């Protein structure tokens, strides 16, 4: 299945005048927004993960203290 709409790459490059083509977020405010969202979500996820692990370890520690009487 050949989905390339041009006969050659030269024809494709000539047709790419910069006003048409695929929409991307590059070179615009969208890339900045996506980067900020990605950093914010990654930071929030790491905070959640750290707090969740702290609670999990404290719970397991208390169970071991009860089991072994320490």
């Amino acid at each position: 299945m050949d989905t390339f709409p041009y006969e050659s790459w030269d024809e494709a490059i000539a047709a790419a005048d910069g006003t048409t083509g695929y929409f991307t977020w590059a070179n615009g405010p969208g890339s900045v927004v996506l980067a900020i969202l990605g950093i914010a979500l990654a930071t929030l996820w790491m905070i959640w993960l750290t707090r969740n692990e702290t609670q999990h370890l404290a719970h397991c520690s208390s169970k071991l203290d009860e089991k072994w009487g320490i």
Side-chain angles (χ1 to χ4, degrees):
M1 183 166 134
D2 184 18
T3 59
F4 191 65
Y6 302 104
E7 295 297 322
S8 69
W9 277 106
D10 293 328
E11 185 182 347
I13 291 170
D17 60 356
T19 60
T20 60
Y22 295 108
F23 174 76
T24 64
W25 290 90
N27 297 331
S31 60
V32 174
V33 170
L34 286 178
I36 291 171
L37 282 175
I39 292 168
L41 287 175
T43 303
L44 290 173
W45 179 75
M46 288 301 294
I47 291 169
W48 173 84
L49 182 65
T50 304
R51 289 183 178 176
N52 187 35
E53 280 297 311
T54 301
Q55 292 172 354
H56 179 71
L57 289 173
H59 175 70
C60 290
S61 175
S62 66
K63 286 177 73 175
L64 286 173
D65 285 347
E66 290 173 10
K67 178 178 180 180
W68 296 102
I70 297 174

